[in-house]
Protein backbone atom coordinates (compact mmCIF):
# COMPACT_ATOMS: atom_id res chain seq x y z
CA UNK A 1 0.00 0.00 0.00
CA UNK A 2 1.26 3.51 -0.85
CA UNK A 3 0.06 7.05 -0.19
CA UNK A 4 0.89 10.57 -1.36
CA UNK A 5 1.47 13.57 0.86
CA UNK A 6 1.78 17.21 -0.19
CA UNK A 7 4.02 19.44 1.87
CA UNK A 8 5.98 22.68 1.88
CA UNK A 9 9.64 23.25 2.75
CA UNK A 10 9.77 27.04 3.18
CA UNK A 11 6.37 28.20 4.43
CA UNK A 12 7.80 31.41 5.93
CA UNK A 13 8.93 32.64 2.50
CA UNK A 14 5.51 31.95 1.01
CA UNK A 15 3.76 33.75 3.85
CA UNK A 16 6.01 36.77 3.28
CA UNK A 17 5.46 36.71 -0.50
CA UNK A 18 1.68 36.33 -0.41
CA UNK A 19 0.85 39.93 0.72
CA UNK A 20 3.10 41.39 -1.99
CA UNK A 21 1.45 39.19 -4.62
CA UNK A 22 -2.01 40.17 -3.41
CA UNK A 23 -1.06 43.85 -3.66
CA UNK A 24 0.23 43.31 -7.20
CA UNK A 25 -3.04 41.62 -8.24
CA UNK A 26 -5.06 44.44 -6.70
CA UNK A 27 -3.03 47.04 -8.59
CA UNK A 28 -3.49 45.10 -11.85
CA UNK A 29 -7.26 44.98 -11.36
CA UNK A 30 -7.37 48.69 -10.55
CA UNK A 31 -5.36 49.39 -13.70
CA UNK A 32 -7.89 47.42 -15.78
CA UNK A 33 -10.75 49.33 -14.21
CA UNK A 34 -9.15 52.71 -14.90
CA UNK A 35 -8.44 51.69 -18.48
CA UNK A 36 -12.09 50.89 -19.07
CA UNK A 37 -13.14 54.15 -17.46
CA UNK A 38 -10.70 56.07 -19.70
CA UNK A 39 -11.93 54.34 -22.85
CA UNK A 40 -15.51 55.02 -21.86
CA UNK A 41 -14.83 58.72 -21.25
CA UNK A 42 -13.26 58.95 -24.70
CA UNK A 43 -16.29 57.33 -26.26
CA UNK A 44 -14.33 54.29 -27.32
CA UNK A 45 -15.94 50.88 -27.09
CA UNK A 46 -14.25 48.32 -24.88
CA UNK A 47 -14.63 44.58 -24.74
CA UNK A 48 -16.93 43.06 -22.16
CA UNK A 49 -15.36 42.91 -18.72
CA UNK A 50 -12.44 40.49 -18.64
CA UNK A 51 -13.01 39.28 -22.25
CA UNK A 52 -10.75 41.53 -24.30
CA UNK A 53 -7.10 40.84 -25.07
CA UNK A 54 -5.98 43.15 -22.26
CA UNK A 55 -8.30 41.45 -19.78
CA UNK A 56 -7.15 38.00 -20.83
CA UNK A 57 -3.50 39.08 -20.61
CA UNK A 58 -4.03 40.40 -17.11
CA UNK A 59 -5.63 37.19 -15.90
CA UNK A 60 -2.83 35.10 -17.39
CA UNK A 61 -0.32 37.24 -15.53
CA UNK A 62 -2.31 36.98 -12.30
CA UNK A 63 -2.29 33.18 -12.66
CA UNK A 64 1.46 33.21 -13.31
CA UNK A 65 1.99 35.38 -10.22
CA UNK A 66 -0.05 32.94 -8.15
CA UNK A 67 2.20 30.10 -9.31
CA UNK A 68 5.28 32.14 -8.37
CA UNK A 69 3.86 32.62 -4.87
CA UNK A 70 3.16 28.90 -4.65
CA UNK A 71 6.76 28.24 -5.73
CA UNK A 72 8.03 30.33 -2.81
CA UNK A 73 6.57 27.72 -0.44
CA UNK A 74 8.83 25.08 -2.07
CA UNK A 75 5.97 22.56 -2.40
CA UNK A 76 6.80 18.87 -2.41
CA UNK A 77 5.00 15.59 -2.95
CA UNK A 78 6.18 12.51 -1.04
CA UNK A 79 5.31 8.90 -1.83
CA UNK A 80 5.04 6.63 1.21
CA UNK A 81 4.87 2.87 1.41
CA UNK A 82 3.75 1.09 4.56
CA UNK A 83 5.98 -1.42 6.35
CA UNK A 84 5.12 -3.78 9.16
CA UNK A 85 6.01 -2.22 12.52
CA UNK A 86 9.37 -3.29 13.99
CA UNK A 87 11.97 -1.91 16.39
CA UNK A 88 14.00 -0.81 13.35
CA UNK A 89 11.27 1.45 11.91
CA UNK A 90 9.39 2.51 15.06
CA UNK A 91 11.12 5.91 14.93
CA UNK A 92 9.39 6.58 11.58
CA UNK A 93 5.97 6.67 13.24
CA UNK A 94 4.96 10.34 13.04
CA UNK A 95 2.37 10.33 15.80
CA UNK A 96 3.02 11.03 19.47
CA UNK A 97 4.20 8.51 22.07
CA UNK A 98 4.20 9.30 25.80
CA UNK A 99 7.27 8.23 27.80
CA UNK A 100 7.02 7.97 31.60
CA UNK A 101 10.58 7.85 32.97
CA UNK A 102 11.30 6.69 36.52
CA UNK A 103 14.77 7.62 37.82
CA UNK A 104 16.04 6.03 41.05
CA UNK A 105 17.75 8.60 43.34
CA UNK A 106 18.25 6.32 46.34
CA UNK A 107 21.59 6.04 48.15
CA UNK A 108 22.49 2.71 46.51
CA UNK A 109 22.55 4.46 43.11
CA UNK A 110 25.46 6.74 44.07
CA UNK A 111 28.26 4.74 42.35
CA UNK A 112 26.25 4.45 39.13
CA UNK A 113 24.26 7.65 39.09
CA UNK A 114 26.44 9.45 36.57
CA UNK A 115 25.74 6.70 34.02
CA UNK A 116 22.04 6.66 34.93
CA UNK A 117 21.72 10.42 34.47
CA UNK A 118 23.64 10.25 31.19
CA UNK A 119 21.26 7.53 30.02
CA UNK A 120 18.18 9.68 30.78
CA UNK A 121 19.72 12.73 29.07
CA UNK A 122 20.59 10.78 25.91
CA UNK A 123 17.17 9.13 25.98
CA UNK A 124 15.42 12.51 26.10
CA UNK A 125 17.60 13.90 23.32
CA UNK A 126 16.88 10.85 21.15
CA UNK A 127 13.11 11.22 21.26
CA UNK A 128 11.25 12.60 18.22
CA UNK A 129 9.85 16.10 18.71
CA UNK A 130 6.31 14.74 18.54
CA UNK A 131 6.77 12.59 21.67
CA UNK A 132 5.77 13.65 25.19
CA UNK A 133 7.67 12.90 28.38
CA UNK A 134 7.21 12.93 32.16
CA UNK A 135 10.20 12.40 34.45
CA UNK A 136 9.62 11.00 37.95
CA UNK A 137 12.24 10.69 40.72
CA UNK A 138 11.85 8.10 43.44
CA UNK A 139 13.47 6.71 46.58
CA UNK A 140 11.17 5.92 49.51
CA UNK A 141 8.82 8.54 48.07
CA UNK A 142 7.85 9.46 44.54
CA UNK A 143 8.24 12.96 43.08
CA UNK A 144 7.22 14.12 39.61
CA UNK A 145 10.04 16.37 38.45
CA UNK A 146 8.94 17.70 35.04
CA UNK A 147 6.86 17.12 31.94
CA UNK A 148 8.82 19.15 29.38
CA UNK A 149 11.86 17.77 27.61
CA UNK A 150 13.78 21.06 27.80
CA UNK A 151 12.90 21.55 31.46
CA UNK A 152 13.86 17.96 32.30
CA UNK A 153 17.29 18.33 30.69
CA UNK A 154 17.89 21.48 32.72
CA UNK A 155 16.67 20.07 36.04
CA UNK A 156 18.57 16.80 35.65
CA UNK A 157 21.86 18.62 36.12
CA UNK A 158 20.94 19.38 39.72
CA UNK A 159 19.64 15.91 40.63
CA UNK A 160 21.83 13.83 42.95
CA UNK A 161 21.25 10.49 44.70
CA UNK A 162 21.48 9.92 48.46
CA UNK A 163 17.93 9.35 49.65
CA UNK A 164 17.05 6.42 51.92
CA UNK A 165 15.32 3.31 50.60
CA UNK A 166 14.39 2.36 47.06
CA UNK A 167 10.65 1.87 46.57
CA UNK A 168 10.71 0.50 43.02
CA UNK A 169 7.28 -1.10 43.36
CA UNK A 170 5.78 2.14 44.63
CA UNK A 171 7.30 4.09 41.72
CA UNK A 172 5.95 1.54 39.23
CA UNK A 173 2.52 1.81 40.84
CA UNK A 174 2.63 5.60 40.44
CA UNK A 175 3.62 5.21 36.78
CA UNK A 176 0.77 2.72 36.29
CA UNK A 177 -1.70 5.35 37.51
CA UNK A 178 -0.29 7.95 35.13
CA UNK A 179 -0.18 5.56 32.18
CA UNK A 180 -3.77 4.43 32.77
CA UNK A 181 -4.93 8.03 32.35
CA UNK A 182 -2.75 8.69 29.29
CA UNK A 183 -4.43 8.29 25.87
CA UNK A 184 -2.57 6.88 22.89
CA UNK A 185 0.71 4.95 22.81
CA UNK A 186 2.61 5.12 26.11
CA UNK A 187 5.52 3.34 27.75
CA UNK A 188 7.17 3.30 31.20
CA UNK A 189 10.97 3.35 31.41
CA UNK A 190 12.58 2.47 34.76
CA UNK A 191 16.21 3.54 35.34
CA UNK A 192 17.50 1.92 38.53
CA UNK A 193 19.82 -0.64 40.12
CA UNK A 194 16.50 -2.39 40.89
CA UNK A 195 17.59 -2.92 44.52
CA UNK A 196 14.03 -2.76 45.83
CA UNK A 197 13.92 -2.58 49.63
CA UNK A 198 10.72 -0.75 50.41
CA UNK A 199 7.08 -1.01 49.36
CA UNK A 200 5.27 -3.56 47.17
CA UNK A 201 6.88 -6.32 45.15
CA UNK A 202 7.78 -4.92 41.68
CA UNK A 203 6.91 -8.23 39.99
CA UNK A 204 3.36 -8.07 41.28
CA UNK A 205 3.00 -4.49 40.02
CA UNK A 206 4.41 -5.47 36.61
CA UNK A 207 1.79 -8.18 36.30
CA UNK A 208 -0.80 -5.38 36.44
CA UNK A 209 1.03 -3.58 33.63
CA UNK A 210 0.96 -6.74 31.54
CA UNK A 211 -2.78 -7.22 32.04
CA UNK A 212 -3.42 -3.59 31.09
CA UNK A 213 -1.22 -3.78 27.98
CA UNK A 214 1.19 -1.07 29.20
CA UNK A 215 4.79 -1.87 28.19
CA UNK A 216 7.73 -1.39 30.56
CA UNK A 217 11.44 -1.04 29.72
CA UNK A 218 13.95 -1.50 32.56
CA UNK A 219 17.40 0.09 32.24
CA UNK A 220 19.36 -1.63 35.01
CA UNK A 221 22.68 -0.39 36.35
CA UNK A 222 24.88 -2.63 38.52
CA UNK A 223 24.09 -6.26 39.32
CA UNK A 224 22.87 -5.96 42.91
CA UNK A 225 21.32 -9.32 43.89
CA UNK A 226 18.28 -7.45 45.18
CA UNK A 227 17.56 -6.57 41.55
CA UNK A 228 17.21 -10.17 40.40
CA UNK A 229 13.46 -9.58 40.06
CA UNK A 230 14.19 -7.52 36.93
CA UNK A 231 15.81 -10.52 35.24
CA UNK A 232 12.80 -12.62 36.21
CA UNK A 233 10.44 -9.95 34.84
CA UNK A 234 12.26 -10.04 31.49
CA UNK A 235 12.18 -13.85 31.46
CA UNK A 236 8.43 -13.82 32.02
CA UNK A 237 7.84 -11.17 29.35
CA UNK A 238 6.67 -8.55 31.84
CA UNK A 239 9.33 -6.02 30.80
CA UNK A 240 12.19 -5.42 28.40
CA UNK A 241 15.57 -5.37 30.16
CA UNK A 242 18.51 -3.14 29.13
CA UNK A 243 21.82 -3.45 31.00
CA UNK A 244 23.79 -0.25 31.47
CA UNK A 245 27.53 0.28 31.71
CA UNK A 246 29.47 3.22 33.15
CA UNK A 247 31.17 3.68 29.75
CA UNK A 248 29.72 6.92 28.23
CA UNK A 249 29.78 5.52 24.70
CA UNK A 250 27.94 2.38 25.76
CA UNK A 251 25.41 4.43 27.73
CA UNK A 252 24.69 6.64 24.70
CA UNK A 253 24.13 3.65 22.42
CA UNK A 254 22.02 1.91 25.06
CA UNK A 255 19.84 5.01 25.40
CA UNK A 256 19.18 5.24 21.67
CA UNK A 257 18.44 1.51 21.52
CA UNK A 258 16.07 1.92 24.46
CA UNK A 259 14.20 4.75 22.68
CA UNK A 260 13.63 2.50 19.66
CA UNK A 261 12.54 -0.42 21.84
CA UNK A 262 10.27 1.79 23.96
CA UNK A 263 8.55 3.30 20.92
CA UNK A 264 8.14 -0.11 19.32
CA UNK A 265 6.64 -1.59 22.50
CA UNK A 266 4.28 1.37 22.97
CA UNK A 267 3.07 1.32 19.37
CA UNK A 268 2.60 -2.43 19.26
CA UNK A 269 0.66 -2.38 22.54
CA UNK A 270 -1.62 0.38 21.20
CA UNK A 271 -2.46 -1.59 18.04
CA UNK A 272 -0.23 0.11 15.45
CA UNK A 273 0.81 -2.53 12.91
CA UNK A 274 2.30 -0.51 10.03
CA UNK A 275 4.35 2.67 9.70
CA UNK A 276 4.85 4.89 6.62
CA UNK A 277 8.30 4.86 5.03
CA UNK A 278 9.21 7.61 2.54
CA UNK A 279 9.96 6.04 -0.82
CA UNK A 280 10.32 9.07 -3.10
CA UNK A 281 10.15 12.85 -2.74
CA UNK A 282 9.69 15.29 -5.60
CA UNK A 283 10.07 19.09 -5.47
CA UNK A 284 7.28 20.71 -7.51
CA UNK A 285 8.87 24.14 -7.97
CA UNK A 286 10.49 23.39 -11.39
CA UNK A 287 7.13 22.30 -12.83
CA UNK A 288 5.41 25.37 -11.42
CA UNK A 289 8.13 27.57 -12.90
CA UNK A 290 7.53 26.14 -16.40
CA UNK A 291 3.78 26.69 -16.04
CA UNK A 292 4.35 30.28 -14.85
CA UNK A 293 6.60 31.02 -17.86
CA UNK A 294 3.97 29.65 -20.26
CA UNK A 295 1.24 31.75 -18.65
CA UNK A 296 3.40 34.88 -18.80
CA UNK A 297 4.14 34.21 -22.48
CA UNK A 298 0.43 33.80 -23.24
CA UNK A 299 -0.33 36.97 -21.32
CA UNK A 300 2.35 38.93 -23.16
CA UNK A 301 1.00 37.71 -26.52
CA UNK A 302 -2.53 38.79 -25.61
CA UNK A 303 -3.82 35.29 -26.33
CA UNK A 304 -7.38 34.38 -25.44
CA UNK A 305 -9.48 31.36 -26.37
CA UNK A 306 -11.59 31.63 -29.51
CA UNK A 307 -15.36 31.65 -29.05
CA UNK A 308 -17.51 29.52 -31.38
Amino acid sequence: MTSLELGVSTPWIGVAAAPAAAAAVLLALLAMRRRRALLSSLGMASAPRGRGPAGASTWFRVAALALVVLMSFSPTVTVYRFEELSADNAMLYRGSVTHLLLLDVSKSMAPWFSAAREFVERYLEGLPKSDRVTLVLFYREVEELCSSRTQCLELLRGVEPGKRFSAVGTALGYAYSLASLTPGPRVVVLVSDCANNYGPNPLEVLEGFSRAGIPVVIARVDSDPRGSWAVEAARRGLAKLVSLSVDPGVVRDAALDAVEEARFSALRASGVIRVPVAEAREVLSPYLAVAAVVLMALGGAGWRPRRA
Side-chain angles (χ1 to χ4, degrees), residues 3-74:
S3 67
L4 297 177
E5 181 181 273
L6 294 175
V8 293
S9 301
T10 55
W12 55 90
I13 298 178
V15 170
V25 171
L26 181 60
L27 289 174
L29 294 176
L30 288 175
M32 287 175 59
R33 185 173 180 180
R34 288 188 176 182
R35 179 178 178 278
R36 290 194 198 96
L38 179 60
L39 290 175
S40 178
S41 66
L42 295 175
M44 299 173 62
S46 63
R49 183 174 300 225
R51 294 184 181 177
S57 297
T58 300
W59 287 115
F60 277 125
R61 289 166 181 164
V62 168
L65 181 60
L67 290 181
V68 171
V69 172
L70 187 57
M71 285 168 52
S72 67
F73 284 89
S74 298

Side-chain angles (χ1 to χ4, degrees), residues 86-91 123 255-266:
S86 69
D88 294 331
N89 61 25
M91 297 298 288
Y123 187 98
L256 296 179
D257 290 343
V259 169
E260 293 179 355
E261 182 60 47
R263 282 196 118 230
F264 169 63
S265 299

Side-chain angles (χ1 to χ4, degrees), residues 1-6 77-82 92 94 275-281:
M1 184 196 305
T2 60
S3 67
L4 297 177
E5 181 181 273
L6 294 175
V77 60
T78 306
V79 180
Y80 289 94
R81 58 182 169 82
F82 288 86
L92 299 177
R94 292 177 292 168
V275 293
V277 179
E279 195 168 51
R281 184 173 181 269

Side-chain angles (χ1 to χ4, degrees), residues 77-215:
V77 60
T78 306
V79 180
Y80 289 94
R81 58 182 169 82
F82 288 86
E83 288 186 355
E84 184 176 349
L85 175 68
S86 69
D88 294 331
N89 61 25
M91 297 298 288
L92 299 177
Y93 177 75
R94 292 177 292 168
S96 177
V97 175
T98 300
H99 304 254
L100 306 174
L101 277 73
L102 307 175
L103 176 59
D104 189 345
V105 293
S106 62
K107 188 180 297 185
S108 64
M109 284 286 290
W112 330 104
F113 195 74
S114 178
R117 178 165 47 201
E118 174 80 7
F119 175 88
V120 174
E121 289 174 345
R122 299 291 82 80
Y123 187 98
L124 292 172
E125 292 171 352
L127 293 177
K129 292 182 179 180
S130 60
D131 285 9
R132 297 186 294 266
V133 63
T134 296
L135 177 59
V136 175
L137 308 181
F138 73 93
Y139 48 104
R140 182 178 62 184
E141 300 177 2
V142 178
E143 174 191 347
E144 187 172 320
L145 182 66
C146 52
S147 56
S148 158
R149 189 176 335 190
T150 302
Q151 183 186 29
C152 289
L153 287 169
E154 292 176 356
L155 294 177
L156 265 174
R157 302 189 188 106
V159 174
E160 295 293 341
K163 306 289 186 177
R164 292 187 61 194
F165 301 111
S166 180
V168 179
T170 302
L172 286 171
Y174 181 85
Y176 179 87
S177 299
L178 289 180
S180 299
L181 299 173
T182 302
R186 73 275 200 224
V187 61
V188 173
V189 180
L190 170 67
V191 185
S192 171
D193 59 4
C194 299
N196 183 63
N197 57 15
Y198 190 89
N201 185 340
L203 277 176
E204 295 177 357
V205 181
L206 287 176
E207 288 173 353
F209 276 92
S210 180
R211 287 191 295 270
I214 302 172

